Amino acid sequence: TEVIEVSNTRVYPNPVMNSLNIEFETINTDTEVEIYSTTGLLMYKDVEYRNFGIKKVSVDMSNYQSGMYIVRLGNEVKKVIKQ
């Protein structure tokens, strides 16, 4: 299982089966969590975590189709594989 570190952020597990975890060391009030399909369809967006000081977001990907997804955290972009 790969852990992707983005600045002060960890994205794991990769590949993901059910829940994708995104942990923040510090909360940047400008950072949005977005997940896109490879066709550019926005699958998930979360900005509320930063309003409540939450340092971990778990995204339920159990109903997503297998394949690659793009995780966008502010200016950072990472690829995650859904099994």
Side-chain angles (χ1 to χ4, degrees), residues 24-74:
F24 303 92
E25 188 175 308
T26 58
I27 296 173
N28 182 342
T29 57
D30 296 333
T31 301
E32 296 177 349
V33 174
E34 297 173 330
I35 299 177
Y36 292 89
S37 69
T38 55
T39 61
L41 179 66
L42 179 63
M43 305 292 292
Y44 177 87
K45 183 172 184 173
D46 188 349
V47 295
E48 293 299 316
Y49 80 92
R50 63 186 187 203
N51 296 334
F52 297 106
I54 297 169
K55 291 190 174 185
K56 181 178 179 183
V57 176
S58 291
V59 181
D60 180 8
M61 294 185 71
S62 60
N63 291 325
Y64 288 30
Q65 291 183 2
S66 296
M68 185 171 61
Y69 291 86
I70 307 301
V71 179
R72 187 173 158 279
L73 306 163

Side-chain angles (χ1 to χ4, degrees), residues 3 17-19 26-27 30 40-41 52-53 59 63 67 73 76-80:
V3 174
M17 299 244 347
N18 295 313
S19 291
T26 58
I27 296 173
D30 296 333
L41 179 66
F52 297 106
V59 181
N63 291 325
L73 306 163
E76 301 285 340
V77 176
K78 296 297 175 190
K79 297 175 186 170
V80 173

